[in-house]
Amino acid sequence: MNILFANYGDFTTNSLNHIGGFANTLCGQGHSCVVAVPTGKETLTAAQNPLFIPALYDEVLAQPAMFPDRGTADVIHAWTPREFVRRFVLAYQRTARKPAKLVIHLEDNEENLIAGFARRPPGDLRAMGFEALDALMTDSLPHPLRHRTFLRLADEATVIVEKLREFVPPTVPCTLLQPGVDPDYLRPLKADPELRRSLGLAENEKIVVFTGSNTFANEPDMRELYVAIRILNQRGVPARLVRTGFNRPEFLEGLSPDLRAHVLDLGFISKARLPGLLGIADVLVQPGRAGPFNDYRLPSKLPEYLASGRPVVLPPTNVALGMRDGVDALFLASGAPENIADCCERVFRDPVLAASLGKNGSAFARKHFDLGANTAKLLEAYERVLARPPRA
């Protein structure tokens, strides 16, 4: 089977954690996978041991039959209905010898992202003309109107959490597709004292690790984590936030010196270094609260957090709906900085609880985020799609 994954960003985006695992596993099973990105092919160095064929959108459109058998795609998996992706997919379908079956993946409340970026309600945006919308929106986000039409063209949709089914048209079949965790994460991670020393972390500091980038959508949650670290230190609990990923300049400019004081920001680092960082964590925190943003997503780092065997603190939504508070993870009651600090202190004070949370969280990850099992489910969806007659 020839499978074309169309991602909305380059190889450093969080979604490549999911796409890369699926594509590599499918390639290992004898299928051919091309992962296409709009720009930044040189960022392939961020992908871990890629077996798939990397390509730019323009390269794929210039050579639609770039699969090893010199054929075109049997299935296109559009990773979200963002405008970059929509335009590429439609262009490929016009260029290829035969139309491919189309699967569209949802991993965010796109309506919420659109409204947050434009600072207008979705209904107001849909009432605007196309010319005004094109001037207001960016191709890196879904178009308020065109993404809905694109979804109706799909032969099937995949969703990362069940709640996203609300956005799938009733005429389009839908499959839950949870991510798969790299097997390297599915074994207990041990703290490396030398890594702590090399990072300049004091022996008495409690370490909170966050691996992920900032966008306009998650920055309010991220800022609350920074405030929580300041609160811990004000309470006399030496704590350091070790984080990775890209930052928007606007986010960094908005941080006062006291919020930066207890943060070690490593920037974007290779995926191979992440297990070591997770291993030195006393607690892993996913900040946030239930609502229109967090209810409809599964932060890409959470499967790896849970698999690591370290205690996890997270809001009681998305993946946590299938977990037990105080057993598999600690749930945030409000998501406020004081609440985050309270949960961290509870883990710091109780080694037995910390060990239990880590053990049970790891078992949850092995059950729900097994890469082989979830890839098999994805392959079944592709086979169902190919077996159906073409849609009108």
Side-chain angles (χ1 to χ4, degrees):
M1 188 184 304
N2 290 341
I3 305 155
L4 171 59
F5 291 92
N7 190 39
Y8 59 84
D10 64 28
F11 293 98
T12 65
T13 55
N14 290 334
S15 294
L16 251 297
N17 292 340
H18 305 167
I19 295 172
F22 290 134
N24 274 355
T25 305
L26 289 165
C27 288
Q29 295 172 357
H31 303 283
S32 299
C33 296
V34 172
V35 178
V37 298
T39 58
K41 187 177 177 181
E42 70 280 0
T43 62
L44 180 66
T45 55
Q48 202 163 19
N49 304 318
L51 302 178
F52 53 81
I53 300 169
L56 295 174
Y57 285 0
D58 288 346
E59 292 175 331
V60 177
L61 294 178
Q63 187 184 354
M66 66 160 35
F67 291 88
D69 65 357
R70 298 186 179 180
T72 56
D74 299 308
V75 174
I76 300 173
H77 204 154
W79 218 261
T80 80
R82 301 190 183 191
E83 188 65 0
F84 271 142
V85 178
R86 185 193 72 87
R87 291 185 179 187
F88 166 70
V89 169
L90 296 184
Y92 184 86
Q93 294 284 50
R94 288 192 294 266
T95 307
R97 289 196 296 264
K98 61 180 178 64
K101 293 297 181 76
L102 175 59
V103 180
I104 300 177
H105 184 65
L106 297 180
E107 60 183 18
D108 282 299
N109 180 345
E110 306 289 4
E111 301 276 356
N112 179 258
L113 293 182
I114 292 167
F117 176 82
R119 299 182 181 179
R120 302 186 190 187
D124 290 358
L125 292 169
R126 287 194 290 271
M128 296 171 62
F130 278 101
E131 186 174 342
L133 284 174
D134 289 343
L136 177 66
M137 299 305 298
T138 171
D139 286 352
S140 62
L141 288 174
H143 188 280
L145 292 172
R146 294 188 178 105
H147 89 278
R148 291 183 161 203
T149 303
F150 187 45
L151 281 167
R152 288 196 292 271
L153 294 176
D155 295 285
E156 182 140 346
T158 56
V159 293
I160 198 168
V161 292
E162 290 285 359
K163 198 165 177 60
L164 281 167
R165 291 180 187 269
E166 296 173 15
F167 297 106
V168 178
T171 56
V172 177
C174 185
T175 297
L176 175 68
L177 178 63
Q178 293 182 304
V181 177
D182 188 304
D184 286 346
Y185 287 84
L186 290 176
R187 58 174 184 264
L189 301 176
K190 295 183 179 180
D192 180 357
E194 182 53 39
L195 177 59
R196 281 187 65 117
R197 285 192 291 271
S198 70
L199 294 174
L201 303 173
E203 290 187 12
N204 68 330
E205 282 185 309
K206 296 296 184 181
I207 307 304
V208 180
V209 172
F210 182 91
T211 56
S213 298
N214 288 344
T215 69
F216 73 91
N218 73 351
E219 282 171 2
D221 293 345
M222 197 67 217
R223 182 179 175 83
E224 292 186 328
L225 177 56
Y226 276 61
V227 175
I229 299 300
R230 180 181 65 185
I231 290 172
L232 285 168
N233 283 278
Q234 289 173 339
R235 292 177 179 177
V237 180
R240 184 85 71 97
L241 173 62
V242 178
R243 59 154 308 186
T244 67
F246 296 113
N247 291 291
R248 289 202 318 153
E250 296 89 341
F251 176 75
L252 296 177
E253 291 166 3
L255 297 175
S256 58
D258 60 323
L259 288 180
R260 296 170 179 256
H262 304 287
V263 178
L264 174 60
D265 193 335
L266 300 176
F268 185 84
I269 66 173
S270 69
K271 192 170 177 61
R273 293 178 59 191
L274 293 180
L277 289 179
L278 299 184
I280 65 171
D282 293 291
V283 66
L284 299 164
V285 177
Q286 173 61 51
R289 62 199 72 198
F293 176 57
N294 284 310
D295 291 356
Y296 293 87
R297 72 188 195 115
L298 197 170
S300 64
K301 67 193 79 60
L302 270 181
E304 294 171 354
Y305 280 11
L306 293 165
S308 72
R310 313 306 295 166
V312 176
V313 172
L314 76 172
T317 188
N318 54 67
V319 68
L321 297 178
M323 302 176 73
R324 299 165 293 176
D325 185 18
V327 178
D328 303 313
L330 279 189
F331 293 177
L332 294 167
S334 68
E338 294 80 5
N339 182 211
I340 297 174
D342 290 344
C343 287
C344 290
E345 274 202 87
R346 183 179 169 190
V347 173
F348 298 157
R349 291 194 308 263
D350 191 340
V352 175
L353 173 65
S356 176
L357 292 173
K359 179 181 177 181
N360 293 329
S362 181
F364 182 91
R366 288 194 300 273
K367 179 178 179 181
H368 293 275
F369 305 124
D370 180 275
L371 181 57
N374 291 353
T375 304
K377 188 174 181 180
L378 175 59
L379 185 58
E380 289 173 4
Y382 291 161
E383 290 171 343
R384 286 196 306 270
V385 166
L386 289 172
R388 295 186 198 123
R391 295 182 63 192

